[in-house]
Coordinates of all heavy atoms in Angstrom, one line a residue:
D1 N 4.5 8.6 -21.3 CA 3.4 9.2 -20.5 C 3.3 8.7 -19.1 O 2.4 9.0 -18.4 CB 2.0 8.9 -21.2 CG 1.9 9.6 -22.6 OD1 2.6 10.6 -22.8 OD2 1.1 9.1 -23.4
G2 N 4.3 7.9 -18.7 CA 4.3 7.4 -17.3 C 3.3 6.3 -17.0 O 2.9 6.1 -15.8
V3 N 2.9 5.5 -18.0 CA 1.9 4.5 -17.8 C 2.7 3.2 -17.5 O 3.5 2.8 -18.3 CB 1.0 4.3 -19.1 CG1 0.1 3.1 -18.9 CG2 0.2 5.6 -19.3
R4 N 2.3 2.5 -16.4 CA 2.9 1.2 -16.1 C 2.1 0.1 -16.8 O 0.8 0.1 -16.8 CB 2.9 0.9 -14.6 CG 3.8 1.9 -13.9 CD 3.7 1.6 -12.4 NE 4.3 0.3 -12.0 CZ 4.2 -0.2 -10.8 NH1 3.6 0.5 -9.8 NH2 4.7 -1.4 -10.5
V5 N 2.8 -0.8 -17.5 CA 2.1 -1.9 -18.2 C 2.4 -3.3 -17.6 O 3.6 -3.5 -17.2 CB 2.5 -1.9 -19.7 CG1 1.8 -2.9 -20.5 CG2 2.3 -0.5 -20.3
F6 N 1.4 -4.1 -17.5 CA 1.6 -5.4 -16.9 C 1.1 -6.5 -17.8 O 0.2 -6.4 -18.5 CB 0.8 -5.5 -15.6 CG 1.3 -4.6 -14.5 CD1 0.8 -3.3 -14.5 CD2 2.2 -4.9 -13.6 CE1 1.1 -2.4 -13.5 CE2 2.6 -4.0 -12.6 CZ 2.1 -2.8 -12.5
Y7 N 1.8 -7.7 -17.7 CA 1.2 -8.9 -18.2 C 0.7 -9.7 -17.1 O 1.3 -9.8 -16.0 CB 2.3 -9.8 -18.9 CG 2.8 -9.3 -20.2 CD1 4.2 -9.3 -20.5 CD2 2.0 -8.9 -21.2 CE1 4.7 -8.8 -21.7 CE2 2.4 -8.4 -22.4 CZ 3.8 -8.4 -22.7 OH 4.3 -7.9 -23.9
L8 N -0.5 -10.3 -17.2 CA -1.0 -11.2 -16.2 C -0.4 -12.6 -16.3 O -0.9 -13.5 -16.8 CB -2.6 -11.3 -16.3 CG -3.3 -12.1 -15.2 CD1 -3.0 -11.4 -13.9 CD2 -4.7 -12.2 -15.5
S9 N 0.9 -12.6 -15.9 CA 1.7 -13.8 -16.0 C 2.8 -13.8 -14.9 O 2.9 -12.9 -14.2 CB 2.4 -13.9 -17.4 OG 3.2 -12.7 -17.6
S10 N 3.5 -15.0 -14.8 CA 4.5 -15.1 -13.8 C 5.8 -14.5 -14.3 O 6.7 -14.2 -13.4 CB 4.7 -16.6 -13.5 OG 5.1 -17.3 -14.6
A11 N 6.0 -14.2 -15.5 CA 7.2 -13.6 -16.1 C 6.9 -12.7 -17.3 O 5.8 -13.0 -17.9 CB 8.3 -14.6 -16.4
S12 N 7.7 -11.8 -17.6 CA 7.4 -10.9 -18.7 C 8.5 -11.0 -19.8 O 9.7 -11.0 -19.5 CB 7.4 -9.4 -18.3 OG 7.4 -8.6 -19.4
P13 N 8.1 -11.3 -21.0 CA 9.1 -11.4 -22.1 C 9.5 -10.1 -22.7 O 10.4 -10.0 -23.6 CB 8.4 -12.3 -23.1 CG 7.0 -11.9 -23.0 CD 6.8 -11.6 -21.5
T14 N 8.9 -9.0 -22.2 CA 9.1 -7.7 -22.8 C 9.7 -6.7 -21.8 O 9.2 -6.5 -20.8 CB 7.8 -7.1 -23.3 OG1 7.1 -8.0 -24.2 CG2 8.0 -5.7 -23.9
P15 N 10.9 -6.2 -22.1 CA 11.5 -5.2 -21.2 C 10.6 -4.0 -21.1 O 10.1 -3.5 -22.1 CB 12.8 -4.8 -22.0 CG 13.2 -6.0 -22.8 CD 11.8 -6.6 -23.2
G16 N 10.4 -3.5 -19.9 CA 9.6 -2.4 -19.7 C 8.1 -2.8 -19.3 O 7.3 -1.9 -18.9
V17 N 7.8 -4.1 -19.4 CA 6.5 -4.5 -19.0 C 6.7 -5.5 -17.8 O 7.5 -6.4 -17.9 CB 5.8 -5.3 -20.2 CG1 4.4 -5.9 -19.7 CG2 5.6 -4.4 -21.4
E18 N 5.9 -5.3 -16.8 CA 6.1 -6.0 -15.6 C 5.1 -7.2 -15.6 O 4.1 -7.2 -16.2 CB 5.8 -5.2 -14.4 CG 6.6 -3.9 -14.3 CD 6.2 -2.9 -13.2 OE1 6.2 -3.4 -12.0 OE2 5.8 -1.8 -13.5
A19 N 5.5 -8.3 -14.8 CA 4.7 -9.5 -14.6 C 3.8 -9.2 -13.3 O 4.4 -8.8 -12.3 CB 5.5 -10.7 -14.5
L20 N 2.5 -9.4 -13.4 CA 1.6 -9.1 -12.3 C 1.5 -10.2 -11.3 O 1.2 -9.9 -10.1 CB 0.3 -8.7 -12.9 CG -0.7 -8.0 -11.9 CD1 -0.1 -6.8 -11.3 CD2 -2.0 -7.7 -12.6
L21 N 1.5 -11.5 -11.7 CA 1.2 -12.6 -10.8 C 2.1 -12.6 -9.6 O 1.6 -12.8 -8.5 CB 1.3 -13.9 -11.5 CG 0.2 -14.2 -12.5 CD1 0.3 -15.6 -13.1 CD2 -1.2 -14.1 -11.7
P22 N 3.5 -12.4 -9.7 CA 4.3 -12.3 -8.4 C 3.8 -11.3 -7.4 O 3.8 -11.5 -6.2 CB 5.7 -12.0 -9.0 CG 5.7 -12.5 -10.4 CD 4.3 -12.3 -10.9
A23 N 3.4 -10.1 -8.0 CA 2.9 -9.1 -7.1 C 1.6 -9.5 -6.4 O 1.4 -9.2 -5.2 CB 2.7 -7.8 -7.8
I24 N 0.7 -10.1 -7.2 CA -0.5 -10.6 -6.6 C -0.3 -11.6 -5.5 O -0.9 -11.6 -4.4 CB -1.4 -11.2 -7.7 CG1 -1.9 -10.1 -8.7 CG2 -2.7 -11.9 -7.1 CD1 -2.7 -10.6 -9.8
E25 N 0.6 -12.5 -5.7 CA 0.9 -13.6 -4.8 C 1.5 -13.1 -3.5 O 1.4 -13.6 -2.4 CB 1.8 -14.7 -5.4 CG 1.0 -15.4 -6.5 CD 2.0 -16.3 -7.4 OE1 3.2 -16.2 -7.1 OE2 1.5 -17.0 -8.2
A26 N 2.3 -12.0 -3.7 CA 3.0 -11.4 -2.5 C 2.1 -10.4 -1.7 O 2.5 -9.9 -0.7 CB 4.3 -10.7 -3.0
A27 N 1.0 -10.0 -2.3 CA 0.1 -9.0 -1.6 C -0.5 -9.6 -0.3 O -0.9 -10.7 -0.3 CB -1.0 -8.6 -2.6
P28 N -0.6 -8.7 0.7 CA -1.2 -9.2 2.0 C -2.7 -9.4 1.8 O -3.3 -8.9 0.9 CB -0.8 -8.0 2.9 CG -0.7 -6.8 2.0 CD -0.1 -7.3 0.7
D29 N -3.2 -10.1 2.8 CA -4.7 -10.4 2.8 C -5.5 -9.2 3.4 O -6.7 -9.2 3.2 CB -5.0 -11.7 3.5 CG -4.4 -12.9 2.9 OD1 -4.2 -12.9 1.6 OD2 -4.1 -13.9 3.6
E30 N -4.9 -8.3 4.1 CA -5.6 -7.3 4.7 C -6.2 -6.3 3.7 O -5.6 -6.1 2.6 CB -4.7 -6.5 5.7 CG -4.2 -7.3 6.9 CD -3.1 -8.2 6.5 OE1 -2.4 -8.0 5.5 OE2 -2.9 -9.2 7.2
P31 N -7.3 -5.7 4.0 CA -7.9 -4.7 3.1 C -6.9 -3.5 2.9 O -6.1 -3.2 3.7 CB -9.2 -4.2 3.9 CG -9.5 -5.3 4.8 CD -8.1 -5.9 5.2
L32 N -7.1 -2.9 1.7 CA -6.2 -1.7 1.4 C -6.5 -0.6 2.4 O -7.7 -0.4 2.8 CB -6.5 -1.3 0.0 CG -6.0 -2.1 -1.1 CD1 -6.5 -1.6 -2.5 CD2 -4.5 -2.2 -1.1
P33 N -5.5 0.2 2.7 CA -5.8 1.4 3.6 C -6.8 2.3 3.0 O -6.9 2.4 1.8 CB -4.4 2.1 3.7 CG -3.4 1.0 3.4 CD -4.1 0.0 2.4
A34 N -7.6 2.9 3.8 CA -8.7 3.7 3.4 C -8.3 4.9 2.5 O -9.0 5.4 1.6 CB -9.5 4.2 4.6
R35 N -7.0 5.3 2.7 CA -6.5 6.5 1.9 C -6.5 6.2 0.4 O -6.6 7.1 -0.4 CB -5.1 6.9 2.4 CG -4.0 5.9 2.2 CD -2.7 6.4 2.6 NE -1.6 5.5 2.3 CZ -1.2 4.5 3.0 NH1 -1.9 4.2 4.1 NH2 -0.2 3.7 2.6
H36 N -6.3 4.9 0.1 CA -6.3 4.6 -1.4 C -7.6 4.7 -2.1 O -7.7 4.8 -3.3 CB -5.8 3.1 -1.5 CG -4.3 2.9 -1.2 ND1 -3.3 3.7 -1.7 CD2 -3.7 2.1 -0.4 CE1 -2.2 3.4 -1.2 NE2 -2.4 2.3 -0.4
R37 N -8.7 4.8 -1.3 CA -10.0 4.9 -1.9 C -10.8 6.1 -1.4 O -12.0 6.2 -1.5 CB -10.8 3.6 -1.7 CG -11.0 3.2 -0.3 CD -11.8 1.9 -0.2 NE -12.1 1.6 1.2 CZ -11.3 0.9 2.0 NH1 -10.1 0.5 1.6 NH2 -11.6 0.6 3.3
A38 N -10.0 7.0 -0.7 CA -10.7 8.2 -0.1 C -11.5 9.0 -1.1 O -12.5 9.6 -0.7 CB -9.6 9.0 0.7
R39 N -11.0 9.2 -2.3 CA -11.6 10.0 -3.3 C -12.4 9.3 -4.3 O -12.9 9.8 -5.3 CB -10.6 10.9 -4.0 CG -9.8 11.8 -3.0 CD -8.8 12.6 -3.8 NE -8.0 13.5 -2.9 CZ -7.1 14.3 -3.3 NH1 -6.7 14.4 -4.6 NH2 -6.4 15.1 -2.5
V40 N -12.6 8.0 -4.1 CA -13.4 7.1 -5.1 C -14.9 7.3 -4.8 O -15.3 7.1 -3.7 CB -13.0 5.7 -4.9 CG1 -13.8 4.8 -5.9 CG2 -11.5 5.5 -5.3
T41 N -15.6 7.6 -5.9 CA -17.0 7.7 -5.8 C -17.6 6.7 -6.8 O -16.9 6.1 -7.6 CB -17.5 9.1 -6.1 OG1 -17.3 9.4 -7.5 CG2 -16.8 10.1 -5.2
A42 N -19.0 6.7 -6.9 CA -19.6 5.8 -7.8 C -19.3 6.2 -9.3 O -19.3 5.3 -10.2 CB -21.1 5.8 -7.6
N43 N -19.1 7.5 -9.5 CA -18.8 8.0 -10.8 C -17.3 8.0 -11.2 O -17.0 8.5 -12.3 CB -19.4 9.3 -11.0 CG -20.9 9.3 -11.0 OD1 -21.5 8.4 -11.5 ND2 -21.5 10.3 -10.4
S44 N -16.5 7.5 -10.3 CA -15.0 7.5 -10.6 C -14.8 6.5 -11.7 O -15.4 5.5 -11.8 CB -14.2 7.1 -9.3 OG -14.4 8.1 -8.3
K45 N -13.7 6.7 -12.5 CA -13.3 5.8 -13.6 C -12.6 4.6 -12.9 O -11.6 4.7 -12.3 CB -12.4 6.5 -14.6 CG -13.1 7.6 -15.3 CD -12.1 8.2 -16.3 CE -12.7 9.4 -17.1 NZ -13.0 10.5 -16.2

């Protein structure tokens, strides 16, 4: 179904599941571009 799955860990023991901590640590401190939340409302999931 095209769903990405993550473990909140530094490494993943499961092929096909990504580890999230390295991506969090590499993320910049700047706010996300406005386009990523352009369609987000209070009732959005």
Side-chain angles (χ1 to χ4, degrees):
D1 292 338
V3 177
R4 294 177 67 186
V5 183
F6 297 87
Y7 288 134
L8 186 58
S9 59
S10 56
S12 170
T14 304
V17 178
E18 303 172 60
L20 191 58
L21 285 184
I24 292 177
E25 293 169 354
D29 294 333
E30 294 76 22
L32 289 173
R35 67 178 185 276
H36 289 308
R37 57 182 186 276
R39 299 181 180 179
V40 176
T41 69
N43 292 322
S44 297
K45 296 180 180 67

